[in-house]
Structure formats: C-alpha cells, structure tokens
Amino acid sequence: MILDSHCHAWRRWPYDPPVPDPDTRGSVEQLLFEMDVHEVERAALVCARIGEGAFANEDNNEYAAQAAQRHPDRIAVIADVDCSWRPEHHTPGAAGRLRETAERLGITGFTHYVRATNDGWFRSDEGREFFATAAELDLVASLAVAPAWQADLRAIAREFPTLPILVHHLGGVSARRPSFESDLAEVLASAREPNILVKVSGFHYHSARGWDFAYDDARPVFERLFAAYGPHRLCWGSDFPASRHFLTYTQSLEVVRSYADFLAKEDLELVLGGTLARVLETRRPVPVPSP
C-alpha cells in the first residue's frame, strides 16, 4: 500500500517560467495518472491558492474538492486556509474561515504555510482558537513551518494532543543553510510530541543541488528523523507536480524505496503508506451539506 502525503493539483499551472501546456500540466488528471502508474492508492492533495493574473488559482480548494467528489477513494482534500500568500494571513477571524471551509467543502485537513520568521501567531489567542477549531473538527493539520516555529509548534501539539500535525518536507531543514545543525535539532526536539509527524518529501529543497538525485546530502536527514520519530510518524510524499523541475514522480518514490537502506521492510511499508493511512482513518471530515 502506497499513499502520497504531499502533492498538488491546479486548474492552471501557477509557476514561472511559463509552460506550453498550462491548462493540463498541473491538473488532477496528471496526478491520477502518476498515481496509477506507481500504484499509489490515495493522495493527500495539498491545496495552494497561488498564481497571478491569467494563472491565478483562487478556486484551488474548490477544484480539489470537486476532484475528491469524483474520486473519493483516491483524493483527500487538504485545503489552503490563510496561507502566507493570502491577504488574510494571520488576521482576525482565522478560526471562522477554517470552520467555513471545512463545513462547505468537507475537507480532510487544512494546510497553513507561514513565513520563515516566526511572528508568534501560533501562541496568540487567534492562533490557539484556530488550532482548537481544527481539533474540534477532527482535521489533519499540514503545516509548512521553518525550524524557527518548532518550539511554538510543540506548544500547540501539547495543548491539542488529538490534532495530528504533519510537518512538510523533512521539517524544513536545508543543507544549504549555515544553521542546518541547529535547525535540525529543533525538528528532532519536536519528536517528543506524539502527535507531530514529518513528511518524507522535498529532498530537492534540502539538497545543496536540487537536481542531484539521489540526494546524498539530504538522505542522512531522513535517517536522523527516522531515528527520532520512527516509522509510525513519517509519511512519504511526492511534491508532484511542483517537483517536476527537479525530479520525476518515480524518483520521488525511489529515493525512499530504493535508497533508504536503513529501513527494514516493515518500516518502509509504514513510511510509504501505512502511517498516513492510519492518520486518515482517524479523521471524521465534516459532511458536505446537501444542495
């Protein structure tokens, strides 16, 4: 069983440079094709309302929800709620916006991208209400947080122990940064909180050379995360199709399946799908109201 904990799909390709096929390159049909080819049973589709002008994806949450309605056994919607590119980011009313999105779209979870500098919002009254609402609604929290946020993330995890928190892309550490060791120490410290999990994804972001498969400088980070978190709190993700500039879907999978030689067979099965399956099975998404 293979499940993808981190992928995207857009109605229009949102990134520069422009591509010759903007209406199909990032489509959910492309994602489902890759899933079929690689025998991936289900994917957590992380929404991102990004892009500008003709390539804006303001409706990305709705686009993902429509895909999940067509393919309920394949797609779990992780909606974009107040991410850092949004004008409402860390403004009053975040909990209400989360509730409205959940009740309207019947999402499995939400994603929240923050800026690299910690603004203290997680521990604010607004932030704590936001995460309390997520816990109440039995949602999955999929968070893009830099290491500077880890201490506050641990506080949130302790306050809301039933809320599963999935941290993106090997915890956001990078071999490119002089602060690499101290950054990784923060992510490893968060293993003390049992409801914090880490996505084994985005090796290309953390390597000094994002194109250099099989990421010899990033795989040791995975091994250290494995030692701290164990296979029950690590989830593989492809980052498709954002990752296409660096690697194929096959390579995103094989960097774990073929190159992580420290994983026993049962560990690999959990990282590639068992862990995420367990998390998704415990969630009770808010039902979509009848028309």
Side-chain angles (χ1 to χ4, degrees), residues 218-239:
R219 287 201 325 275
V221 174
F222 175 23
E223 186 167 8
R224 292 171 71 178
L225 289 170
F226 174 75
Y229 285 84
H232 295 278
R233 289 195 288 148
L234 297 175
C235 308
W236 167 76
S238 69
D239 193 38

Side-chain angles (χ1 to χ4, degrees), residues 88-155:
E88 62 270 21
H89 179 67
H90 293 182
T91 62
R97 291 187 290 272
L98 175 61
R99 185 180 297 277
E100 186 278 331
T101 300
E103 292 175 348
R104 178 168 54 87
L105 298 179
I107 61 178
T108 297
F110 69 95
T111 191
H112 188 68
Y113 286 67
V114 297
R115 300 183 179 99
T117 301
N118 186 343
D119 64 6
W121 187 81
F122 281 10
R123 295 203 200 206
S124 70
D125 290 344
E126 285 276 345
R128 292 172 60 247
E129 183 183 4
F130 181 76
F131 288 110
T133 300
E136 175 197 335
L137 295 174
D138 285 324
L139 298 175
V140 174
S142 180
L143 303 182
V145 293
W149 293 77
Q150 287 288 332
D152 288 358
L153 187 65
R154 292 192 286 273

Side-chain angles (χ1 to χ4, degrees), residues 25-272:
R25 179 165 296 206
S27 69
V28 72
E29 288 77 17
Q30 292 280 2
L31 172 64
L32 288 166
F33 170 78
E34 296 289 351
M35 291 169 62
D36 289 343
V37 167
H38 296 89
E39 300 182 338
V40 175
E41 293 185 15
R42 198 174 187 203
L45 202 166
V46 177
C47 298
R49 292 178 287 171
I50 57 176
E52 297 180 355
F55 303 105
N57 288 277
E58 182 68 25
D59 65 341
N60 195 233
N61 287 342
E62 290 75 16
Y63 178 70
Q66 290 163 11
Q69 289 172 0
R70 296 193 303 272
H71 308 281
D73 296 331
R74 308 297 304 282
I75 301 293
V77 179
I78 310 297
D80 171 347
V81 179
D82 288 15
C83 288
S84 56
W85 47 77
R86 304 293 305 170
E88 62 270 21
H89 179 67
H90 293 182
T91 62
R97 291 187 290 272
L98 175 61
R99 185 180 297 277
E100 186 278 331
T101 300
E103 292 175 348
R104 178 168 54 87
L105 298 179
I107 61 178
T108 297
F110 69 95
T111 191
H112 188 68
Y113 286 67
V114 297
R115 300 183 179 99
T117 301
N118 186 343
D119 64 6
W121 187 81
F122 281 10
R123 295 203 200 206
S124 70
D125 290 344
E126 285 276 345
R128 292 172 60 247
E129 183 183 4
F130 181 76
F131 288 110
T133 300
E136 175 197 335
L137 295 174
D138 285 324
L139 298 175
V140 174
S142 180
L143 303 182
V145 293
W149 293 77
Q150 287 288 332
D152 288 358
L153 187 65
R154 292 192 286 273
I156 289 297
R158 288 191 294 270
E159 185 169 359
F160 306 107
T162 64
L163 176 67
I165 300 170
L166 277 64
V167 179
H168 296 188
H169 301 329
L170 301 175
V173 300
S174 174
R176 305 174 190 177
R177 300 191 191 109
S179 58
F180 165 73
E181 284 294 341
S182 60
D183 289 347
L184 181 57
E186 282 293 330
V187 178
L188 296 176
S190 294
R192 295 195 298 263
E193 309 307 329
N195 53 326
I196 295 179
L197 299 85
V198 177
K199 296 184 183 185
V200 181
S201 60
F203 286 81
H204 48 290
Y205 297 130
H206 307 293
S207 175
R209 298 187 296 186
W211 48 265
D212 194 9
F213 182 85
Y215 306 115
D216 291 345
D217 58 350
R219 287 201 325 275
V221 174
F222 175 23
E223 186 167 8
R224 292 171 71 178
L225 289 170
F226 174 75
Y229 285 84
H232 295 278
R233 289 195 288 148
L234 297 175
C235 308
W236 167 76
S238 69
D239 193 38
F240 183 85
S243 58
R244 281 188 54 173
H245 180 70
F246 299 98
L247 73 165
T248 66
Y249 198 103
T250 301
Q251 288 172 318
S252 74
L253 179 58
E254 295 305 333
V255 70
V256 173
R257 184 161 62 183
S258 296
Y259 286 87
D261 55 7
F262 54 88
L263 295 177
K265 181 178 183 292
E266 57 271 23
D267 298 331
L268 182 63
E269 290 173 352
L270 287 167
V271 173
L272 289 184

